Amino acid sequence: MNALPLSASASLASYAASLKTADIPEHVLRKAEDLWVDWFGSAVAGHGARPVETLTQFALSMGPASGPCEVLTNRSTTSPYWAAMANAAASHVAEQDDVHNGSVFHPATVVFPPALAVAQALGASGAQLITAAVVGYEVGIRVGEFLGRSHYRVFHTTGTAGTLAAAAAVGHLLGLNAQQMQHAFGSAGTQSAGLWEFLRTAADSKQLHTAHAAGAGLMAAYLAKDNFTGAAQILEGPQGMAAGMSSDADVGKLTDGLGTRWATAETSFKYHACCRHTHPAADALLKVMQDNQLHVADLARVITHVHQGAIDVLGPVTQPSTVHQSKFSMGTVLALVAQYEHAGLSEFDQHFKDDITQTLCSKVEMVLDPEVDSAYPQRWIGKVSVYTTDGRVLFGRVDEPKGDPGNTLSRDEITAKALRLAAHSGGATPDEMAHAVAQLWLVMDWPRVKSILSPA
């Protein structure tokens, strides 16, 4: 008698449990190293941010006063669970962490914190850490794609799919077998959470989403290691995640190209320090201004032609009152880009409330564009119509925003970005950061994952 085919959840769990370093193509391992260094810069950038400090203080008050795992923002050490939570919160606040377009999911912030913490606790090698991270990326991205566009209208996919990504990465480090990994998915999925409502009032929830996802996924994997059971079909079951969180879920996305299609390599870097939905329009506006030698005074009106997801996420932010909320304002982002050619951390911190920024912000409008919307989320096209004060109408288009795989950041640019982020936050001195980043590039050669910034 032939065995029954595995469910999608079981197939994905089997893949996550069985993947070996040797199975991963070289270009994917190199991309994972790029994502690792890029994530580290964002984690250090969380130093001093009020929501991060609050979550970190909570974590350290709940966990042991010392342990094998480091909290990057303040050099303390604690247990894997609490270190993962603190570092996951820290690495999402600067809005510079990576994103996968098709799943609209930020993998690094929920994969690397728990993977690093557990690797430090276990004394795993650098190669084991990177392999586990690839597992987390491949699983989390597919879960995000599976849940679909309807899910993202209400749920922050990084908080929901992120629990599965964290569980997969940690489960791989713990050596879970396929059945245990499936149980870990069940326990992770039942804890998935994260709603976009926080944007309307500039609440701190986004950092809680990533902290919770990292911690919940880690817990799910450790529980499964001890034979704690979870729902067998948490993703596609009749009362699973798709049933409660999506109206357009596509179960085929969960196993799409497992072992042949490497979603890790499709991941984009963030060039501007703001919501990724603003980047295509920002790059398109910059192109129009550079091609036509325009200045701020020449801008009478800017229409951004966008996908529905951008309207859903950015639309509620009409009058940003905090730096973080301003990063979800299309008008603010474009106003900063028009003035400084880059919407970086310093531009937001120093200029988001300037009169000229506010004036330019009021001239920006979002309009749903059928072409852009139909291409999303696989492609994030940037289109703008720029109305000038002398009566011209100029059109700009960018098919691959800076940071996308076809317009990616070089290793020199990733290093410079990490150093810039640390300098801005004061999370590490220039010498400390330069030394750390140089070592991070060699992660595949590490015989044992130890502290990166904290004293050994």
Side-chain angles (χ1 to χ4, degrees):
M1 182 181 293
N2 293 329
L4 292 174
L6 293 177
S7 68
S9 288
S11 295
L12 190 60
S14 178
Y15 170 83
S18 63
L19 188 70
K20 304 288 193 295
T21 307
D23 299 330
I24 306 172
E26 279 295 314
H27 77 278
V28 179
L29 291 173
R30 300 292 81 79
K31 180 61 177 272
E33 292 170 349
D34 294 348
L35 297 166
W36 158 247
V37 176
D38 186 71
W39 164 76
F40 181 75
S42 284
V44 176
H47 172 78
R50 182 189 52 74
V52 174
E53 295 292 322
T54 301
L55 281 164
T56 300
Q57 182 181 11
F58 168 75
L60 295 176
S61 70
M62 294 290 111
S66 63
C69 314
E70 67 181 321
V71 175
L72 294 170
T73 55
N74 66 5
R75 318 297 178 86
S76 60
T77 61
T78 186
S79 66
Y81 180 83
W82 297 111
M85 285 192 66
N87 289 333
S91 49
H92 203 45
V93 72
E95 293 294 334
Q96 289 270 258
D97 50 312
D98 62 24
V99 63
H100 180 268
N101 287 348
S103 56
V104 201
F105 169 60
H106 300 277
T109 191
V110 290
V111 169
F112 283 118
L116 172 62
V118 173
Q120 288 175 333
L122 298 177
S125 69
Q128 289 174 312
L129 168 61
I130 292 299
T131 302
V134 171
V135 170
Y137 271 68
E138 296 298 322
V139 168
I141 287 168
R142 283 174 171 81
V143 172
E145 291 175 331
F146 156 73
L147 290 170
R149 292 180 63 168
S150 66
H151 176 80
Y152 189 76
R153 290 191 192 106
V154 177
F155 291 96
H156 182 200
T157 306
T158 304
T160 53
T163 59
L164 279 294
V170 173
H172 194 274
L173 284 167
L174 293 177
L176 299 187
N177 61 36
Q179 187 177 37
Q180 290 172 322
M181 187 70 80
Q182 192 172 357
H183 287 310
F185 286 3
S187 292
T190 203
Q191 300 178 81
S192 292
L195 297 164
W196 282 118
E197 183 62 23
F198 74 90
L199 282 171
R200 297 180 192 277
T201 54
D204 298 328
S205 305
K206 203 161 190 269
Q207 281 62 65
L208 180 60
H209 293 175
T210 56
H212 171 75
L218 183 152
M219 177 172 63
Y222 270 88
L223 290 173
K225 180 71 172 176
D226 214 18
N227 296 316
F228 190 91
T229 62
Q233 291 183 273
I234 194 64
L235 294 162
E236 74 276 39
Q239 291 177 294
M241 289 178 67
M245 296 177 161
S246 176
S247 61
D248 64 344
D250 180 354
V251 72
K253 299 287 188 181
L254 291 173
T255 54
D256 173 38
L258 282 177
T260 57
R261 172 217 172 192
W262 295 95
T264 304
E266 302 166 1
T267 307
S268 299
F269 301 100
K270 290 178 76 173
Y271 182 63
H272 302 293
C274 46
C275 178
R276 179 68 173 177
H277 291 297
T278 66
H279 291 211
D283 287 358
L285 174 61
L286 185 59
K287 186 177 188 300
V288 169
M289 294 187 70
Q290 291 174 339
D291 289 350
N292 295 277
Q293 298 182 325
L294 298 181
H295 302 286
V296 169
D298 299 320
L299 303 180
R301 183 186 180 204
V302 178
I303 295 178
T304 64
H305 305 273
V306 299
H307 50 267
Q308 184 62 45
I311 295 172
D312 292 340
V313 173
L314 306 175
V317 184
T318 55
Q319 293 182 311
S321 60
T322 67
V323 170
H324 191 256
Q325 192 183 34
S326 73
K327 296 179 179 187
F328 291 82
S329 162
M330 180 69 86
T332 302
V333 173
L334 266 59
L336 293 174
V337 166
Q339 294 173 80
Y340 305 105
E341 299 186 347
H342 179 234
L345 295 178
S346 296
E347 286 76 22
F348 279 102
D349 284 357
Q350 298 172 20
H351 302 295
F352 94 92
K353 279 191 173 181
D354 288 357
D355 289 343
I356 188 171
T357 302
Q358 298 295 311
T359 299
L360 286 169
C361 179
S362 67
K363 297 179 179 180
V364 176
E365 178 184 356
M366 288 190 293
V367 173
L368 182 65
D369 183 280
E371 181 199 9
V372 175
D373 191 57
S374 63
Y376 171 84
Q378 282 69 34
R379 297 172 59 213
W380 295 40
I381 299 170
K383 291 169 65 175
V384 295
S385 299
V386 179
Y387 294 76
T388 65
T389 52
D390 61 5
R392 290 177 290 166
V393 182
L394 306 171
F395 300 97
R397 179 188 180 108
V398 170
D399 284 288
E400 289 191 280
K402 178 71 171 174
D404 268 8
N407 187 16
T408 193
L409 302 185
S410 68
R411 288 202 161 184
D412 285 345
E413 288 177 311
I414 293 168
T415 294
K417 175 184 169 184
L419 298 178
R420 187 167 61 246
L421 289 170
H424 184 271
S425 71
T429 68
D431 287 345
E432 286 176 326
M433 197 64 180
H435 175 75
V437 170
Q439 294 304 307
L440 291 169
W441 284 121
L442 305 174
V443 63
M444 288 293 290
D445 298 327
W446 294 0
R448 181 185 178 96
V449 178
K450 296 182 179 180
S451 295
I452 300 171
L453 290 173
S454 307

